[in-house]
Amino acid sequence: MGSVVSNVFQRCGKPAEQEVERHLRANDRPFNLSYNYTNNAITTSKYNIFTFLPLNLFEQFGRLANTYFLFLLLLQLIPQISSLSWFTTAVPLMLVLSITAVKDASDDINRHKSDKQVNNRRVDVLIDGELRSERWMNVQVGDIIKLENNQFVTADLLLLSSSEPLNLVYVETAELDGETNLKVKQALTVTGDLGDSVDALAGFNGEVCCEPPNNRLDKFKGTMTLSGQGYSLDNDKVLLRGCTLRNTEWCFGLVIFGGPDTKLMQNSGKTTLKRTSIDHLMNVLVLSIFGFLAAMCTVMAIGNAIWEVQEGFVFTPFLPREPGINAALSSFLSFWSYVIVLNTVVPISLYVSVEIIRLGNSFYIDWDRKMYYPKSDTPAQARTTTLNEELGQIKYIFSDKTGTLTQNIMTFNKCSINGKSYGELFDFARQRVEITEKTEKVNFEWNKLADPKFSFHDHSLVETVKEGNLEAQAFFRLLALCHTVMPEEKKEGELHYQAQSPDEGALVTAARNFGFVFRSRTPETITVFEMGEKVVYELLAVLDFNNVRKRMSVIVRSPEGKLTLFCKGADTIIFERLHSSCDSLVKVTTQHLNEYAGDGLRTLALAYKDIDKNYMEDWQQRHHEASCAMDGREEMLDELYEEMEKDLMLLGATAVEDKLQDGVPQTIEQLAKADIKIWVLTGDKQETAENIGYSCNMLREDMKKIFIVAANTPEGVKEELQNARREMCPEAADEPTVVLDRAGLFWSRKTETVQDEKVEGDYGLIINGHSLAYALEKDLQLELLRTACMCQTVICCRVTPLQKAQVVQLVKKYKQVITLAIGDGANDVSMIKAAHIGVGISGQEGMQAVLSSDFSFAQFRYLQRLLLVHGRWSYLRMCKFLQYFFYKNFIFTFVHFWYAFFCGFSAQTVYDEWFITLYNLMYTALPILALSLFDQDVNDRWSFQYPQLYTPGQLNLYFSKKAFVRCMLHSAYSSLILFFIPWAAMQDTVRDDGKDIADYQSFALLAQTSLLVVVNTQLCLDTYYWTAVNQFFVWGSLAAYFAITFTMYSNGMFLIFTSSFPFMGTARNSLNQPNVWLTIFLSTLLCILPVVAIRFINLQIRPTINDKVRHKVRKEALPAPAPSRIPARRISTRKSGYAFSHSQGFGELVTSRRFLLKRPLKSRPVLYATTDSPLAQNQPQHYRTITEEPEEAQSR
């Protein structure tokens, strides 16, 4: 009921009272319903059966043109001023409204179906002491629900208990952030003790007080009160709607937020009606045309008044005025009569045609096989049909990283062991061989525990390990021991690793395949199968990873009693702690690391150290004392870690690939050539984002400088931004140049545009999330925008979903350019909705972004085809259509204007009424539709060959206010020719047989025939790409005109419908005269010749990029598809990124004495019965949590 009430308030424009704090009680529906919290039903539809007609008509008549045509229809119902029948406007208007309504209804029905499918999913809810299967929509805040493995999380839940050790659950968050690696959540111990006991859970009456609904995916604050005791709640204890439960048999959760209040739905953002820049321009032009129409009608009305006074009395004997009508009233009525006659300057068919063209171009995207991804059977999809031409005007692209640029798959790619690099293949000439899917893979069948999905191509590494090479075996032994991965083996030999980061999982899997299989662990031991033999190591200490140390170590005792420290970390950190005897090996390994960094790989250096037994005992004692210290514990532990991790012996380095989607670097290179700027907005840490920047060729070694903004204060951020700007452009003014202007309908919207500043050379900018938060504040945002827009590449790290949207809105507001946002997770939805165009990546990473997008496809590389081919063609076609449409209708209307001076300003039409009716409906509709659907200046291969062809769209060169004025002037000139040449030719003219031909009907036929020939010839000049359809429509429309004209002007039609077809015999009497055809030819020549001449002169003097490429197309053969080439080896001297998770490690968790404890089940015995851990006794838990810690906390 609360949902209904809130929805009603929302629809009525009276928002419900703002929620400040949420208070709920478990298993107490009456208490929770008193707060009117929304239930779990979601509604994404706009209409219902009762509101559809009024709301849809209200929206449609919100368009200025539809309101205008309705007004016109009302005028035509007044006999005194109407010279045209009312149905000439009513039928097209009803057609337009009906087509749009059907389209809107179809879209909304699909939304209803989607909502119904989600709302009717089933989940077990604890009601009245028993579990009942309920629909999602019936779940209420405060309910306790049970989830099972692979189920979607129903609502935002407080995790109460689970089947896993330490009350952990594993969730996949692909729908939220596009990441497919599992995240770990953990319940409070006090609720974890409830287990799966229905009676205990039914008796649970904890009260939760927490933050109100919001869209922050990474934060949650609240407290739970149980039996008078308060417990702190954070994001680690909450399961969000949109996640999927994985590798967890069951869990119970308390519903905190339901339906529209969930963070998933809160991140969906406000759905706004997106209109293209051409739509906005058309609104302004239509308004201008209305003003021009009113001016013309005023001139006609004044002319009518003058004519009535000076000449009208001569005609009153045989054309008497109606009673009560004088010259003034006649002038007033003629004004409205001319509004009807001249209304063709804005014909209603314009909007019908625009929708048809957009629909057709949308189908091209849907049908494009080159944007179809067969692996996931995913075609490209135009989810909206109103934004196609905007794809040809994109200036800024805002992209997510994980799942958009990358596949979110980490692969063990290369390694360096004892100075030798492995992982590359060479031919006999020692040239690198490209590794493809067809390249022979290493056969791991000798290892029964190998992961069948793991692939490696360098056979020499396997042979080295098999030969018993001590360094190689030590290398993989380190990878099998030095980590915090948790193994899961449900069946014998089927190992599944739960890793804190996908990097660690890739390294442990690599060790597994090369014969060092991490099999199991207890808090004190690690069991590894080394080349088939079981070896149990005693785990003495874990020196955990954090963002300051940038390394982790383990100290183990082998079965022989040998003590060893194994360490892995960032190469710069490890090299500082090596023994001097490793200097020569460091040089070789550094060279390998630079090569790996040049390939964009994420690297780690590996080292070990043998430890003396006596020293270890002393160190352990001091470590224990430091761990128990109340003050300065972290500093004391860090000193001990530093002391231990000295004089290490280097083993080598690993290189893990954060696998890019296919074709990403090439796509980014093409888009950069098209002068499109790409900004990456990612939640990842700086090192990861920087690595991907180099892999994608967004960041390059040849850039002049890459600026990093990472200050923690507003003053520091401002200083770093200003220093970067001054270095790039020393002569730039301190204050930005902001141009104030007005735009929009009635010029009511103020715009501020920050001017671009020229910079010599390419620069890059990397900014952290906490710095970005300060930079987006009002007094710093222009400084951020100036500095960022000077750079070729901008990467924003650790950003929240809200910050992504803010960055997009900042560029939209101050650059007045078209933006596109592309992403794949719920954290990208607000960005996708904020941009002019939203693109969703569909596939395994989740569908939340796709559902909110305007276009979707499966791979980032398809973006270049969407923009450079479909977008450019759509923009070109729409601009040609508008120019031609306004041209042909202005000619048509201006001829009426000139004719008014010869008919006493009486609002008489110059053309036959049937020609007026069919001109836009039949004679000129299909040829321009064919051009607008099939025309292309160059084909898709040439479009890829010359991405620079895209730039005119960014500058609005093909259709703008200036182009519209030129079109009007061209139409005015042509209309003068089309009226006065036939008028002069027909005056005092006789037929071959001496009979008179100078009559109104013959003149009307000559004028309309000349008009139709001219506009079709102009269309032929504008057509670049001829197809059979174009030919058929052009010649067919002319043939249809003559066929219909001869039929309507025949004796038979006159005899049957005398009043409707008065032009009897006009066609056969006029069109058999040579001078009539000569007049048509002369009119056409005089209209077309200046156009041809001007275009020829421009082609010679000021050729556009389009002209140059089309000239090249005629001279050269079709370019072949770009050959796949082996990427050139790029050596990098930058500090390579290290392959660790963002967050602090959970070494203390894996050494917890209870981390493997399984809850007692009927079918599963207790593995360990220890009850002396802090958790069991509900004491403070000192180990670090699994999910990532907010960066603000880490920086303190």
Side-chain angles (χ1 to χ4, degrees), residues 1122-1167:
S1124 59
R1125 60 185 188 274
I1126 303 172
R1129 163 68 76 197
R1130 181 168 62 86
I1131 305 299
S1132 173
T1133 55
R1134 68 187 179 87
K1135 303 303 183 186
S1136 52
Y1138 51 95
F1140 269 117
S1141 167
H1142 321 163
S1143 59
Q1144 294 197 217
F1146 46 93
E1148 293 188 40
L1149 176 60
V1150 300
T1151 57
S1152 165
R1153 291 189 172 276
R1154 224 187 133 201
F1155 89 99
L1156 284 180
L1157 175 60
K1158 290 284 183 179
R1159 186 169 310 287
L1161 294 176
K1162 294 179 181 177
S1163 58
R1164 265 195 301 183
V1166 179
L1167 298 180

Side-chain angles (χ1 to χ4, degrees), residues 966 969-970 973 1018 1021 1086-1103 1107:
R966 287 196 297 267
L969 295 175
H970 181 200
Y973 164 77
Q1018 181 66 43
L1021 283 178
L1086 289 174
C1087 286
I1088 298 302
L1089 203 59
V1091 177
V1092 175
I1094 291 171
R1095 290 186 182 180
F1096 177 78
I1097 292 169
N1098 283 333
L1099 194 64
Q1100 301 303 316
I1101 298 175
R1102 293 183 302 175
D1107 296 328

Side-chain angles (χ1 to χ4, degrees), residues 986-1178:
M986 294 291 287
Q987 193 177 25
D988 301 326
T989 301
V990 294
R991 288 167 43 86
D992 293 343
D993 54 8
K995 292 182 180 179
D996 191 18
I997 196 175
D999 60 85
Y1000 162 72
Q1001 293 186 346
S1002 298
F1003 171 73
L1005 177 66
L1006 178 57
Q1008 67 194 35
T1009 305
S1010 300
L1011 169 66
L1012 201 60
V1013 172
V1014 165
V1015 295
N1016 275 285
T1017 307
Q1018 181 66 43
L1019 181 82
C1020 295
L1021 283 178
D1022 289 340
T1023 303
Y1024 287 151
Y1025 185 70
W1026 283 95
T1027 65
V1029 177
N1030 293 75
Q1031 297 276 5
F1032 176 75
F1033 282 167
V1034 170
W1035 299 112
S1037 65
L1038 288 171
Y1041 165 71
F1042 286 111
I1044 291 171
T1045 300
F1046 275 100
T1047 302
M1048 289 184 173
Y1049 294 1
S1050 65
N1051 293 4
M1053 295 298 289
F1054 176 75
L1055 294 174
I1056 299 171
F1057 306 103
T1058 304
S1059 61
S1060 299
F1061 301 99
F1063 280 46
M1064 183 187 70
T1066 305
R1068 64 175 181 268
N1069 288 334
S1070 297
L1071 295 178
N1072 63 356
Q1073 298 300 305
N1075 62 338
V1076 170
W1077 288 104
L1078 185 62
T1079 302
I1080 294 172
F1081 174 74
L1082 180 62
S1083 301
T1084 305
L1085 193 66
L1086 289 174
C1087 286
I1088 298 302
L1089 203 59
V1091 177
V1092 175
I1094 291 171
R1095 290 186 182 180
F1096 177 78
I1097 292 169
N1098 283 333
L1099 194 64
Q1100 301 303 316
I1101 298 175
R1102 293 183 302 175
T1104 63
I1105 177 68
N1106 192 287
D1107 296 328
K1108 294 174 183 177
V1109 174
R1110 291 186 69 238
H1111 178 72
K1112 191 180 270 293
V1113 168
R1114 288 192 289 269
K1115 296 279 187 181
E1116 298 179 8
L1118 188 70
S1124 59
R1125 60 185 188 274
I1126 303 172
R1129 163 68 76 197
R1130 181 168 62 86
I1131 305 299
S1132 173
T1133 55
R1134 68 187 179 87
K1135 303 303 183 186
S1136 52
Y1138 51 95
F1140 269 117
S1141 167
H1142 321 163
S1143 59
Q1144 294 197 217
F1146 46 93
E1148 293 188 40
L1149 176 60
V1150 300
T1151 57
S1152 165
R1153 291 189 172 276
R1154 224 187 133 201
F1155 89 99
L1156 284 180
L1157 175 60
K1158 290 284 183 179
R1159 186 169 310 287
L1161 294 176
K1162 294 179 181 177
S1163 58
R1164 265 195 301 183
V1166 179
L1167 298 180
Y1168 297 93
T1170 52
T1171 58
D1172 56 348
S1173 71
L1175 282 165
Q1177 299 170 14
N1178 196 21

Side-chain angles (χ1 to χ4, degrees), residues 449-482:
L449 293 174
D451 184 348
K453 297 178 183 177
F454 180 84
S455 63
F456 201 74
H457 300 86
D458 188 351
H459 293 72
S460 63
L461 181 55
V462 177
E463 298 304 321
T464 302
V465 175
K466 282 184 175 181
E467 289 170 1
N469 183 285
L470 294 178
E471 289 82 5
Q473 292 195 352
F475 181 91
F476 287 111
R477 183 178 294 114
L478 185 152
L479 293 182
L481 293 171
C482 186

Side-chain angles (χ1 to χ4, degrees), residues 388-439:
N388 303 59
E389 67 270 14
E390 197 106 286
L391 291 169
Q393 300 178 273
I394 304 298
K395 181 66 177 178
Y396 285 84
I397 292 176
F398 301 92
S399 175
D400 179 39
K401 183 195 76 70
T402 306
T404 303
L405 299 177
T406 66
Q407 299 180 34
N408 199 31
I409 297 173
M410 304 296 175
T411 58
F412 181 80
N413 198 294
K414 298 171 186 174
C415 64
S416 171
I417 302 176
N418 198 32
K420 184 175 181 182
S421 180
Y422 298 92
E424 291 183 330
L425 300 182
F426 298 90
D427 57 18
F428 292 109
R430 298 301 297 167
Q431 296 294 317
R432 278 207 308 160
V433 177
E434 184 181 14
I435 295 175
T436 65
E437 291 183 0
K438 297 180 181 179
T439 307

Side-chain angles (χ1 to χ4, degrees), residues 370-598:
K370 294 180 180 178
M371 295 172 68
Y372 169 73
Y373 190 57
K375 288 185 179 179
S376 60
D377 189 26
T378 307
Q381 186 180 10
R383 295 175 55 81
T384 179
T385 58
T386 58
L387 302 173
N388 303 59
E389 67 270 14
E390 197 106 286
L391 291 169
Q393 300 178 273
I394 304 298
K395 181 66 177 178
Y396 285 84
I397 292 176
F398 301 92
S399 175
D400 179 39
K401 183 195 76 70
T402 306
T404 303
L405 299 177
T406 66
Q407 299 180 34
N408 199 31
I409 297 173
M410 304 296 175
T411 58
F412 181 80
N413 198 294
K414 298 171 186 174
C415 64
S416 171
I417 302 176
N418 198 32
K420 184 175 181 182
S421 180
Y422 298 92
E424 291 183 330
L425 300 182
F426 298 90
D427 57 18
F428 292 109
R430 298 301 297 167
Q431 296 294 317
R432 278 207 308 160
V433 177
E434 184 181 14
I435 295 175
T436 65
E437 291 183 0
K438 297 180 181 179
T439 307
E440 183 186 1
K441 298 178 182 178
V442 173
N443 187 348
F444 290 105
E445 288 183 0
W446 56 273
N447 182 358
K448 293 180 181 179
L449 293 174
D451 184 348
K453 297 178 183 177
F454 180 84
S455 63
F456 201 74
H457 300 86
D458 188 351
H459 293 72
S460 63
L461 181 55
V462 177
E463 298 304 321
T464 302
V465 175
K466 282 184 175 181
E467 289 170 1
N469 183 285
L470 294 178
E471 289 82 5
Q473 292 195 352
F475 181 91
F476 287 111
R477 183 178 294 114
L478 185 152
L479 293 182
L481 293 171
C482 186
H483 55 78
T484 55
V485 172
M486 296 183 182
E488 185 178 14
E489 190 170 2
K490 292 186 177 179
K491 291 183 182 178
E492 182 70 23
E494 287 190 14
L495 275 170
H496 297 280
Y497 293 141
Q498 303 297 342
Q500 185 186 13
S501 73
D503 311 71
E504 275 209 321
L507 295 174
V508 177
T509 301
R512 169 184 173 181
N513 277 62
F514 283 98
F516 288 76
V517 184
F518 167 56
R519 194 71 179 269
S520 64
R521 76 184 322 145
T522 70
E524 296 86 12
T525 64
I526 298 176
T527 302
V528 178
F529 277 67
E530 297 184 356
M531 305 305 289
E533 295 183 9
K534 180 178 179 181
V535 182
V536 180
Y537 290 89
E538 184 181 350
L539 180 60
L540 301 178
V542 175
L543 284 59
D544 211 357
F545 166 84
N546 63 37
N547 272 335
V548 177
R549 284 170 41 77
K550 297 185 181 180
R551 64 191 185 278
M552 79 161 288
S553 302
V554 295
I555 302 174
V556 296
R557 179 183 283 119
S558 68
E560 295 80 23
K562 184 178 179 182
L563 295 173
T564 309
L565 176 138
F566 291 109
C567 181
K568 66 180 181 184
D571 49 81
T572 51
I573 302 296
I574 298 295
F575 288 173
E576 291 172 358
R577 289 160 175 78
L578 294 178
H579 192 272
S580 58
S581 62
C582 299
D583 290 349
S584 58
L585 181 57
V586 166
K587 291 180 181 178
V588 179
T589 306
T590 300
Q591 183 180 349
H592 294 160
L593 284 167
N594 289 337
E595 291 176 1
Y596 301 157

Side-chain angles (χ1 to χ4, degrees), residues 161-208:
S161 62
S162 83
S163 60
E164 298 307 298
L166 214 61
N167 305 314
L168 302 178
V169 297
Y170 301 100
V171 289
E172 183 182 278
T173 59
E175 289 284 355
L176 294 175
D177 55 20
E179 297 183 6
T180 52
N181 58 298
L182 301 185
K183 308 292 192 305
V184 185
K185 301 288 184 176
Q186 184 180 29
L188 288 168
T189 307
V190 66
T191 60
D193 291 338
L194 298 171
D196 61 346
S197 170
V198 173
D199 292 338
L201 288 162
F204 176 69
N205 63 350
E207 293 191 19
V208 174

Side-chain angles (χ1 to χ4, degrees), residues 726-740:
R726 288 165 182 157
E727 186 169 339
M728 288 187 284
C729 189
E731 66 275 8
D734 286 339
E735 294 300 321
T737 305
V738 181
V739 178
L740 301 178

